[in-house]
Amino acid sequence: MMSVVFYSFIGFSQSPQPRVRLVSPAPESRIIPFEAEASTPQSPVKLALQAEDATGKALENAKFDLEIFTPPHNPWFTTDFPIVEGTKLLDIETIAPKGQLEVQTMLPIRGNYQLKVNVTPVVANAFKPIQQTLTLPVAENGVKYRNFAILAVILLLVGLGGGWVIGGRQAITPGEIAPQQVRLLLSGLIVVAIAALLFVNISAEVAQSQGSGHAHNHDHHDHGSATAAEVDNSGIVRQQGLQAQLLGSASATVGEPAALQVKVTDEKTNQPISDLLLNIKTTMLEDGWVNFASQTVTDSTGQFSWEQGFFDGAPHKLTVEIAPQPNAARQFTPFQVQRQIDVEGVAPPFMVRFISLAYMTAFVIVGLLVGLRLRRNLPLHS
């Protein structure tokens, strides 16, 4: 049976069996989701998982299979990226010689992330396999609550002013169903409602197509320490008798994990090269923030595969630096292989947009009712 470990302020439940412990971030850390409008570049969250035996000793030569799922969908209290709610953010399988897995990933939305971890021994029967599900809470950014409160107050004041005007004594001329001020006010509210609806829908469509307009602006990005000969956006690089290839998805869709793979072979014999060091990094081209990063090694087939989810509909750059092990017989100068991944944005569902508009309308109506009641309860002066 799968045991469950909850990562919260009260810590991990004790267990006499082997377990996986979340070393980083620390339990007292407050993690906030990705903020697109942040004034400073954001860094991905570092996740460190440690496999331990019943005594707390690290399990060496462990094979990790980690899946990260975003918080479940909630249409009534949606997040900034509703499309990625309840989806797979990452699926990675790698060997940890010291029993510790480290990855860096951007957490796009608030809520409780589910980390499903399977740990098995590289050497058969070295230890009992471990299956756990950990929960990582991500708090909402306090700025969001402040902005929501400001918007709610503005909408309430608009409704309050409208109720005050409508509640006053107005003269109705023959043939009119309402006084002129009331008719002007209602007409203005209708125009505002239509404008808000158009803004919400047009903004969603623009966000969906925005990514396609940025690709041509990133042809001259700095490629780090690699030379021009070592960098080839085709995803295939031949260096020092080695051939490195980036395989898998060349494009992706927001909310759907993309299958990615790196493969290294001997250029002459076409034989796979195992146990090479890989530094993997996915960068959003437009703003330069890192979406995912990890250090791992190639397997016996000279490959490493993983699945990665994207939440921003814009081009990303996948970069893999390949290096030899310090004590390996075959030594070479580290080099990079890279490829661009075009990510297609997806507009929020109509129901999510409709609910957001309904909330804004509700604040105006509440203010309107309060304004009417205040005006009608106001004592008349002779």
Side-chain angles (χ1 to χ4, degrees):
M1 179 181 294
M2 181 178 294
S3 60
V4 181
V5 175
F6 291 97
Y7 177 64
S8 64
F9 292 105
I10 62 174
F12 291 94
S13 61
Q14 299 297 322
S15 173
Q17 300 296 324
R19 65 170 185 172
V20 176
R21 183 168 59 92
L22 190 56
V23 178
S24 177
E28 64 274 9
S29 301
R30 184 178 184 272
I31 309 171
I32 60 175
F34 171 79
E35 177 56 59
E37 299 177 358
S39 57
T40 58
Q42 290 186 266
S43 300
V45 176
K46 179 182 177 181
L47 302 177
L49 302 171
Q50 180 71 57
E52 300 176 345
D53 61 15
T55 64
K57 182 181 178 181
L59 296 173
E60 297 183 351
N61 295 322
K63 184 178 182 181
F64 277 80
D65 184 0
L66 171 64
E67 292 180 295
I68 302 178
F69 294 89
T70 59
H73 177 63
N74 186 343
W76 303 108
F77 300 99
T78 186
T79 62
D80 289 347
F81 302 96
I83 296 299
V84 303
E85 296 173 2
T87 62
K88 182 186 293 187
L89 185 64
L90 182 65
D91 188 347
I92 186 171
E93 184 176 310
T94 185
I95 295 175
K98 301 298 182 181
Q100 185 171 107
L101 170 65
E102 293 185 3
V103 297
Q104 298 181 57
T105 182
M106 199 70 78
L107 302 178
I109 59 177
R110 67 175 186 272
N112 293 326
Y113 287 75
Q114 299 295 316
L115 282 65
K116 295 185 177 181
V117 190
N118 292 330
V119 182
T120 55
V122 176
V123 180
N125 302 321
F127 59 84
K128 184 179 179 180
I130 307 172
Q131 290 184 327
Q132 285 186 219
T133 299
L134 296 86
T135 301
L136 177 64
V138 175
E140 183 62 280
N141 193 333
V143 176
K144 299 289 185 180
Y145 294 116
R146 184 198 66 186
N147 293 341
F148 175 78
I150 293 174
L151 176 62
V153 170
I154 293 175
L155 294 175
L156 285 171
L157 291 176
V158 170
L160 184 65
W164 185 270
V165 173
I166 294 176
R169 291 198 169 191
Q170 306 286 343
I172 302 178
T173 58
E176 294 181 339
I177 61 175
Q180 181 180 7
Q181 290 183 340
V182 174
R183 287 186 282 111
L184 290 175
L185 176 63
L186 294 176
S187 300
L189 290 176
I190 293 174
V191 171
V192 171
I194 295 175
L197 183 61
L198 289 174
F199 174 78
V200 171
N201 284 274
I202 293 175
S203 298
E205 296 299 328
V206 170
Q208 182 176 2
S209 59
Q210 198 172 31
S212 60
H214 299 301
H216 66 278
N217 294 326
H218 308 289
D219 295 335
H220 304 289
H221 272 247
D222 181 25
H223 300 300
S225 59
T227 64
E230 293 170 336
V231 175
D232 185 346
N233 198 53
S234 66
I236 301 177
V237 171
R238 296 175 177 86
Q239 284 287 319
Q240 305 168 76
L242 299 177
Q243 176 177 281
Q245 296 176 274
L246 293 180
L247 307 173
S249 303
S251 61
T253 302
V254 170
E256 299 178 5
L260 302 171
Q261 183 185 84
V262 56
K263 181 179 181 181
V264 185
T265 57
D266 187 292
E267 191 175 6
K268 294 181 179 179
T269 65
N270 202 32
Q271 294 299 310
I273 309 296
S274 62
D275 208 31
L276 294 177
L277 295 176
L278 303 176
N279 287 318
I280 303 172
K281 183 170 64 175
T282 306
T283 308
M284 197 271 212
L285 283 175
E286 181 180 2
D287 297 323
W289 48 262
V290 177
N291 188 14
F292 167 74
S294 179
Q295 295 181 345
T296 184
V297 296
T298 54
D299 60 17
S300 59
T301 63
Q303 301 181 40
F304 178 76
S305 304
W306 73 101
E307 290 185 2
Q308 177 184 344
F310 296 89
F311 60 90
D312 193 297
H316 288 65
K317 180 177 67 175
L318 171 61
T319 304
V320 179
E321 183 184 72
I322 302 168
Q325 294 278 6
N327 299 325
R330 183 170 188 168
Q331 295 292 317
F332 56 89
T333 303
F335 64 95
Q336 292 182 356
V337 57
Q338 69 178 29
R339 189 176 67 179
Q340 180 173 304
I341 300 175
D342 294 323
V343 182
E344 179 182 357
V346 179
F350 171 77
M351 186 55 63
V352 171
R353 288 177 273 171
F354 178 78
I355 291 174
S356 299
L357 181 62
Y359 285 151
M360 292 188 290
T361 305
F363 281 115
V364 175
I365 293 175
V366 170
L368 185 69
L369 295 176
V370 172
L372 283 170
R373 187 173 184 84
L374 291 176
R375 186 59 182 265
R376 290 175 179 176
N377 292 340
L378 188 69
L380 298 176
H381 298 280
S382 56

